[in-house]
Amino acid sequence: MSEKVKDLRGTRLSAADLESKDTITFRGRPNAKYAWSAGIAYTKYLEELKNGRIVGRRCRQCDRVLVPPRMFCEQCFRATDEWVYIKGTGKINTYSISYLDADANRIKTPILVAVVDLDGASPGIGILHKLGNVDIEKIHVGMPVQAVWKPANERKGSVTDILYFEPIKEK
Amino acid sequence: MAYDKIRDPRRIMHVEGDMEVDYIYTAGIAGERFFVALRDKEKLVATHCDKCNHTFMPPRMYCDRCFAELSNWIELPPTGAIASYTITHEDNNGERLPEPIVLAFIEIEKTDGALIHQIGEVKPGALKIGMRVQAVFKKKSERTGALTDIRYFKPA
Amino acid sequence: MNVKRRVAVVGAGITLFRRRLKETGKELSYLAANAALESAGMTMDDIDCVVMGTAPDAFDGIHMKADNLLDGAGATRKPYSRVYVGGGTGVFSPIGGWWHVASGLFDTCLVVAEEKMSPCIPHPQTAFRTIWDPIITRPLNPNLVWIFALEMNRYMKTYNIPKEHIAMVAVKNKGNALDHPSAQLAAKITVEDVLNSETMVWPVQRLDISPPSDGAAALVLTSEDVARKFTDAPVWIDGVGWSLDSAYWTNRDLCFPQYVAEAAKMAYKMAKITDPPKEVDFAEPYDPFTYKELHHMEGLLLAKKGEAPQLTADGVTQRDGDLPICPSGGLLGVGNPIAAAGLMKCCEMFWQLRNEAGKRQVSGAETGVAQAWGDLMQVGTVTVFRR
């Protein structure tokens, strides 16, 4: 704001003002429904999750194994070459502890969120998922974790077929 | 190119969802004056740009021609003339309506603006471009400060 | 790079930033645009074209909202376009204006940025439900703050950064905002206040986050010839840069925003800046979260990787320090009406470089850098202004 300008505009409304009869407002929700196609790569990814397996794609040019899989490599800008099965184990790349739900409501039991770098994928290739069966105090970057799957008959071909990742017990 | 294909379209997976977002819109500075006058006084509010000699109805707080802020607020009776009309036999979902609805583009007298609204109390055959119409309001207790506080326009 | 014409900024305008404003988006656009024209001593007749910057439609709740905003931006029956790169839009909008004028196509361009987040209820956060990949991310029911918390933790862990140093960003910016008349969350707070504030998504706490806001801002851009007719003190857009990384954010190292560095290098090259920490007098990096200011100082090559927190702790980034950062008060203090917040940073550079910033004035400011960031942590937009 310039010191030359004296007149700063805008009319503040409080939450209570919104309910006043002389604050004219209109409410609505877009009535739009969607069916998003998973396409080629994600259809296979979801099918294999239903089978209890994680699948990625290899690009032979940059020699990366990509998860989630895609039919083209965004770095080399060419078609990827083959499907590669990835272990359901990995290491925590980073994590957070969420006291907010998706609508920013406060929640008592936090959601544990992590990016997990998967064993068998290229270094730094991770997926977003949740952590479970873990002591919050002990979570750390680099912690070895493994996927905990839903029972086979409850899987439906979704990223939620993995319930969460849990720490691998040290032997 | 070694591209995988899915030959059976039923194999392509889908995820379904909607836009799960709710909204509340303010009518703004000019909109609020317009709707309050409609609700409380059965008047239409317009703003006049003295420089461009243009009357905005519904009102705006600024002239989109010369970009001046407008402070000349005018109250007008809700009467106008049909500039164009259409007769719809279907509702929003494409279902047949029991009675067709007449929708008109109504130029409001003494302004350069217009409203889209329903026309009532007239047989479709008797409709004419140029026909003068006036607003028929809901009962005061039923009004909310919205364009639907006007039930429809009827021949004046 | 072959830039045909030098582009000047000759006017700036802004509205109040608040959690909820009564004005419609059009009306907010008008108030900011008109203030910018007045400050330039121009009328709408002097404007050849208009660029609108406004972020996701899902906040205002009006699909294709730039078309709705058009008349409020003074664009009726003028060449008009919307530019959009998510949260990076605010600093991208003057870049859009810049190419209209630098190319020689137009002599003047009005740049307007608007955001009205209050329509989205109960909380604008809900709009972010709809930005995820619907196949592989949305089923996890994520909250947008998750990804920033994940990035923040990665940054802290990689460089062993104490949370106290990050909290100092909130203390500084909310304090700076006390001198900004538009500010929504100006406050005198302490590091302890930040560290004791509610944990939202660890390590992000309440006072680490900028608020949702309504507001608008505007700039008037002109060619050099036109600028000389209207002012003795034009501010020059000497560098612009932008870069986007892929949306596969879990496939890259979150400890450094490479895309911001690419954008900065482009802008510095154009502005012939070879040693940014020495040649840049102050900066307005994007600070929707405390750690983002630090992350972006590093992305802007104003600090070495992992060293921005120490510079902050040493007082270097204070308004009277060697490298003032966010003298405006930033998004943390002034507020975060997304696109308008980014353009607010460019407005701040204009006022600073004209020596009009009053109590916020950085002494001897000759070169400033503004930057914005957004989408799924993948956009960097950068402008270099000089007097």
Side-chain angles (χ1 to χ4, degrees), chain C residues 118-160:
Chain C
S118 65
C120 191
I121 52 174
H123 193 281
Q125 181 68 235
T126 307
F128 288 120
R129 277 175 170 272
T130 62
I131 71 168
W132 307 101
D133 183 301
I135 313 296
I136 59 160
T137 311
R138 203 163 155 178
L140 295 170
N141 216 11
N143 177 302
L144 191 70
V145 184
W146 286 10
I147 67 175
F148 309 129
L150 291 165
E151 187 179 67
M152 179 171 174
N153 191 17
R154 182 74 190 166
Y155 178 57
M156 287 168 69
K157 175 71 187 172
T158 303
Y159 301 116
N160 200 19

Side-chain angles (χ1 to χ4, degrees), chain B residues 13-33 51 54 56 59-70 73, chain C residues 21-24 26-27 30-31 33-34 37 44-45 57-62 71-74 76-77 116 118-121 126-127 129-130 134-135 138:
Chain B
M13 289 202 169
H14 286 78
V15 172
E16 295 187 4
D18 69 357
M19 286 293 175
E20 44 200 321
V21 192
D22 292 290
Y23 293 99
I24 182 164
Y25 305 93
T26 59
I29 302 299
E32 199 156 285
R33 285 183 79 138
K51 189 177 166 206
H54 193 91
F56 293 93
R60 300 184 207 179
M61 69 178 288
Y62 51 86
C63 173
D64 75 350
R65 292 149 189 250
C66 69
F67 225 47
E69 187 158 347
L70 303 178
W73 300 84
Chain C
L21 291 170
K22 176 183 280 192
E23 284 81 359
T24 60
K26 291 166 185 273
E27 289 172 342
Y30 171 76
L31 293 175
N34 199 38
L37 286 172
M44 211 56 232
D45 293 340
D57 290 347
F59 289 125
D60 289 58
I62 298 173
D71 54 308
T76 307
R77 291 186 289 276
K116 204 168 152 67
S118 65
C120 191
I121 52 174
T126 307
R129 277 175 170 272
T130 62
I135 313 296
R138 203 163 155 178

Side-chain angles (χ1 to χ4, degrees), chain C residues 6 81 151 156 196 203 210 216 272 277 315 321 340 366 370 375 378:
Chain C
R6 206 175 185 197
S81 53
E151 187 179 67
M156 287 168 69
N196 292 332
S210 60
K272 299 189 169 56
E366 294 191 357
D375 286 342
Q378 64 192 113

Side-chain angles (χ1 to χ4, degrees), chain A residues 1 22 39 57 74 81 110 119 128 146 152 170:
Chain A
M1 187 58 182
D22 283 335
R57 283 290 283 187
E74 76 279 3
D81 300 286
D119 294 334
L128 174 70
Q146 63 191 3
E170 311 242 351

